[in-house]
Amino acid sequence: MSFAGSAPGRAVTDPTLSRGAPVEVSELRKLYGSVVALQAATLSVRRGEFVSLLGASGSGKSTLLKLIAGLERATSGSIRLGGVDATGLPSERRGIGMVFQDYALFPTMTVEANIAFPLRMRGVRGDEAKSRIARVAEMLRLEPLLARKPSQLSGGQQQRVAIARAIVFDPQILLLDEPLSALDKNLREQTKGEIKALHQRLGLTIVYVTHDQSEALAMSDRVAVMDHGRIVDVDTPQALYARPRSGFIAQFLGQANLLPVTVLDRSGSGYTVESVWGPLSIRAENVALEPSAGPGARGLAVLRPEHLRIADEPAGDGRPRVRATVAQALYNGCETIYRATCEASQLSLALKETRPGSRSYAIGEHMQVEVDPAHVVVVPAPRDGT
């Protein structure tokens, strides 16, 4: 059954509906006086999909989430939940579960009462309420904690209670606003896997707000990258990381070296560009320049640190090399991250050494840095030329 055909004003909470309702946001804008918090945002989230809104503070991601939840009213544009126009529906009639950044648990209530709260608001009591609470408590390992108050719980336990409260009434859509930001590193890593497993088990549509790129890359089916109130790109984590379409995306998702290049030649199979390594042949699918870009066009070569290699042995495999001087070396156990300066151009390169038993380089030492053109992506240079 779909939401299409629901009576006007009917709450989007029919328990007979299949889990995972699509979310459609079209040309959504939000103004706070003269301040534009969200600019014509359009996003389609498929049924059962996990989509992260990724951006820096002030990028508009939490504003968009609040608009979907009905906690803020849009200045213009539309929101459809499961095919129903929900733009004007109050939050309590949208059938959405939400986990807030601070969890927003009721401090005087027990864990069981916190979980039961949305059921009570929907008139679900007695054996049915007990059955639902027991189900989510077992799912999230909360059975021993049901009689405790939030102040008696760790941060990770509070987060699981907040998730239990958000899903106990069987919503089709779950919204999470920076749910891991208060947790320490080890607990964040553990909880990422738990949220992903919960998504796979329940089949909910999840919209997840984060400023942490590792969370977005590890958990999402797709990522919507936001900047200054705009959605600047939406794609799978793999596509955004391996083939970014702009320097902003490349730098925001992981470490990236952005080096100036100039197009020398163009053919059906790709481009030849001039770089610090000399001429490089780049496959057409790895080039995000304008279709009209030809010889003389300027761009930026995107090189991930893991795609640059320190060449210890003499040249012989034909890959381009450049001489560089080590400026910084950071040992992280499984890898060493170097920052080196190309002697011919004074450009700085970040690269990783992950090979077991590889030699270490000290600050001031010289190294030969090798590049594989197959991993080079070319994106447009900034319009101001910087």
Coordinates of all heavy atoms in Angstrom, one line a residue, residues 340-374:
A340 N 55.3 16.6 1.3 CA 56.6 16.9 0.6 C 56.4 18.0 -0.4 O 55.3 18.2 -0.9 CB 57.1 15.6 -0.1
T341 N 57.5 18.7 -0.7 CA 57.4 19.8 -1.6 C 58.1 19.5 -2.9 O 59.3 19.0 -2.9 CB 58.1 21.1 -1.0 OG1 57.5 21.4 0.3 CG2 58.0 22.2 -1.9
C342 N 57.4 19.6 -4.0 CA 58.0 19.4 -5.3 C 59.1 20.4 -5.6 O 58.8 21.6 -5.5 CB 56.9 19.4 -6.4 SG 55.6 18.2 -6.3
E343 N 60.3 19.9 -5.9 CA 61.4 20.9 -6.0 C 61.3 21.7 -7.2 O 61.7 22.9 -7.3 CB 62.7 20.1 -6.0 CG 62.9 19.4 -4.7 CD 64.3 18.7 -4.6 OE1 65.0 18.7 -5.6 OE2 64.6 18.2 -3.5
A344 N 60.6 21.2 -8.3 CA 60.5 22.0 -9.5 C 59.4 23.1 -9.4 O 59.5 24.1 -10.1 CB 60.2 21.1 -10.7
S345 N 58.4 22.9 -8.6 CA 57.3 23.9 -8.6 C 57.0 24.5 -7.3 O 56.1 25.4 -7.2 CB 56.1 23.2 -9.1 OG 55.7 22.1 -8.3
Q346 N 57.6 23.9 -6.2 CA 57.2 24.3 -4.8 C 55.8 24.0 -4.4 O 55.3 24.4 -3.4 CB 57.5 25.8 -4.6 CG 58.9 26.3 -4.8 CD 59.9 25.5 -3.9 OE1 59.7 25.5 -2.7 NE2 60.8 24.8 -4.4
L347 N 55.1 23.1 -5.2 CA 53.8 22.6 -4.8 C 54.0 21.6 -3.7 O 54.9 20.8 -3.7 CB 53.1 22.0 -6.0 CG 52.6 23.0 -7.1 CD1 52.2 22.3 -8.3 CD2 51.5 23.9 -6.5
S348 N 53.0 21.6 -2.8 CA 53.0 20.6 -1.7 C 52.2 19.4 -2.0 O 51.1 19.5 -2.6 CB 52.5 21.3 -0.4 OG 52.5 20.4 0.7
L349 N 52.7 18.3 -1.6 CA 52.0 17.0 -1.9 C 51.8 16.3 -0.6 O 52.7 16.2 0.3 CB 52.8 16.1 -2.8 CG 53.0 16.5 -4.3 CD1 54.0 15.5 -4.9 CD2 51.7 16.5 -5.0
A350 N 50.6 15.7 -0.4 CA 50.4 14.8 0.8 C 50.3 13.4 0.2 O 49.7 13.1 -0.8 CB 49.1 15.1 1.5
L351 N 51.0 12.4 0.8 CA 51.0 11.1 0.3 C 51.1 10.1 1.5 O 51.6 10.5 2.6 CB 52.2 10.8 -0.7 CG 53.6 11.0 -0.2 CD1 54.6 10.2 -1.0 CD2 54.0 12.5 -0.4
K352 N 50.7 8.9 1.3 CA 50.7 7.8 2.4 C 51.6 6.7 2.0 O 51.6 6.3 0.8 CB 49.3 7.3 2.6 CG 48.3 8.3 3.2 CD 46.9 7.7 3.4 CE 45.9 8.7 3.9 NZ 44.6 8.1 4.1
E353 N 52.3 6.2 3.0 CA 53.1 5.0 2.8 C 52.5 3.9 3.7 O 52.4 4.0 4.9 CB 54.6 5.2 3.1 CG 55.4 4.0 3.0 CD 55.4 3.4 1.6 OE1 56.1 3.8 0.7 OE2 54.6 2.4 1.4
T354 N 52.0 2.8 3.0 CA 51.3 1.8 3.8 C 51.9 0.4 3.6 O 51.5 -0.6 4.2 CB 49.8 1.6 3.3 OG1 49.8 1.4 1.9 CG2 49.1 2.9 3.6
R355 N 53.0 0.3 2.8 CA 53.6 -1.0 2.6 C 54.4 -1.4 3.8 O 55.2 -0.7 4.3 CB 54.6 -0.9 1.4 CG 53.9 -0.6 0.0 CD 54.9 -0.4 -1.1 NE 55.6 0.8 -0.9 CZ 56.6 1.2 -1.6 NH1 57.1 0.4 -2.6 NH2 57.3 2.3 -1.4
P356 N 54.2 -2.6 4.3 CA 54.9 -3.2 5.5 C 56.4 -3.2 5.2 O 56.9 -3.6 4.1 CB 54.4 -4.6 5.6 CG 53.0 -4.6 4.9 CD 53.2 -3.6 3.8
G357 N 57.2 -2.8 6.1 CA 58.7 -2.8 6.0 C 59.3 -1.7 5.1 O 60.5 -1.8 4.9
S358 N 58.5 -0.8 4.6 CA 59.0 0.3 3.8 C 59.9 1.2 4.6 O 59.7 1.3 5.8 CB 57.9 1.1 3.1 OG 57.1 1.6 4.1
R359 N 60.9 1.8 4.0 CA 61.8 2.7 4.7 C 61.1 3.9 5.1 O 60.1 4.4 4.5 CB 63.0 2.9 3.9 CG 62.8 3.7 2.6 CD 64.0 4.5 2.1 NE 64.4 5.6 3.1 CZ 65.3 6.5 2.8 NH1 65.9 6.5 1.6 NH2 65.6 7.4 3.6
S360 N 61.6 4.6 6.2 CA 61.1 5.9 6.7 C 62.0 7.0 6.1 O 63.2 6.8 5.9 CB 61.1 5.9 8.2 OG 60.3 4.9 8.7
Y361 N 61.3 8.1 5.9 CA 62.0 9.3 5.4 C 61.9 10.4 6.4 O 60.9 10.6 7.1 CB 61.4 9.8 4.1 CG 61.7 9.0 2.9 CD1 60.9 7.8 2.6 CD2 62.7 9.3 2.0 CE1 61.2 7.0 1.5 CE2 62.9 8.6 0.9 CZ 62.2 7.4 0.6 OH 62.5 6.6 -0.5
A362 N 63.1 11.0 6.7 CA 63.1 12.1 7.7 C 62.9 13.4 7.0 O 63.0 13.6 5.8 CB 64.5 12.1 8.4
I363 N 62.5 14.4 7.8 CA 62.3 15.8 7.3 C 63.6 16.3 6.7 O 64.7 16.1 7.2 CB 61.9 16.7 8.4 CG1 60.5 16.3 9.0 CG2 61.9 18.2 8.0 CD1 60.0 17.1 10.2
G364 N 63.5 16.8 5.5 CA 64.6 17.3 4.7 C 65.2 16.3 3.7 O 66.0 16.7 2.8
E365 N 64.8 15.0 3.8 CA 65.3 14.0 2.9 C 64.6 14.2 1.5 O 63.4 14.7 1.5 CB 65.0 12.6 3.4 CG 66.1 12.1 4.3 CD 66.0 10.6 4.4 OE1 66.6 9.8 3.6 OE2 65.3 10.1 5.4
H366 N 65.2 13.7 0.5 CA 64.6 13.7 -0.8 C 63.9 12.4 -1.1 O 64.4 11.3 -0.6 CB 65.7 14.0 -1.9 CG 66.4 15.3 -1.7 ND1 65.8 16.5 -1.6 CD2 67.8 15.5 -1.6 CE1 66.7 17.4 -1.5 NE2 67.9 16.9 -1.4
M367 N 62.9 12.4 -1.9 CA 62.2 11.2 -2.4 C 61.7 11.4 -3.8 O 61.5 12.5 -4.3 CB 61.0 10.9 -1.5 CG 60.0 11.9 -1.3 SD 58.4 11.4 -0.5 CE 59.0 10.9 1.1
Q368 N 61.5 10.3 -4.5 CA 60.9 10.3 -5.8 C 59.4 9.9 -5.7 O 59.1 8.8 -5.2 CB 61.6 9.3 -6.7 CG 63.1 9.7 -7.0 CD 63.2 10.9 -7.9 OE1 62.3 11.2 -8.8 NE2 64.3 11.6 -7.8
V369 N 58.5 10.8 -6.1 CA 57.1 10.6 -6.0 C 56.5 10.2 -7.3 O 56.7 11.0 -8.3 CB 56.4 11.8 -5.4 CG1 54.9 11.5 -5.3 CG2 57.0 12.2 -4.1
E370 N 55.9 9.0 -7.4 CA 55.4 8.5 -8.6 C 53.9 8.6 -8.7 O 53.2 8.4 -7.6 CB 55.9 7.0 -8.7 CG 55.7 6.3 -10.0 CD 56.3 4.9 -9.9 OE1 55.6 4.0 -9.4 OE2 57.5 4.7 -10.3
V371 N 53.4 8.8 -9.8 CA 51.9 8.9 -10.0 C 51.5 8.0 -11.1 O 52.2 7.7 -12.1 CB 51.5 10.4 -10.4 CG1 52.0 10.8 -11.7 CG2 50.0 10.5 -10.3
D372 N 50.3 7.4 -10.9 CA 49.7 6.5 -11.9 C 48.5 7.3 -12.5 O 47.5 7.7 -11.8 CB 49.1 5.2 -11.2 CG 48.5 4.3 -12.3 OD1 48.3 4.7 -13.4 OD2 48.1 3.2 -11.9
P373 N 48.7 7.7 -13.8 CA 47.6 8.6 -14.4 C 46.2 8.0 -14.4 O 45.2 8.7 -14.5 CB 48.1 8.7 -15.9 CG 49.6 8.5 -15.8 CD 49.8 7.4 -14.7
A374 N 46.1 6.6 -14.2 CA 44.8 6.0 -14.2 C 44.0 6.5 -13.0 O 42.8 6.4 -13.0 CB 44.9 4.5 -14.1

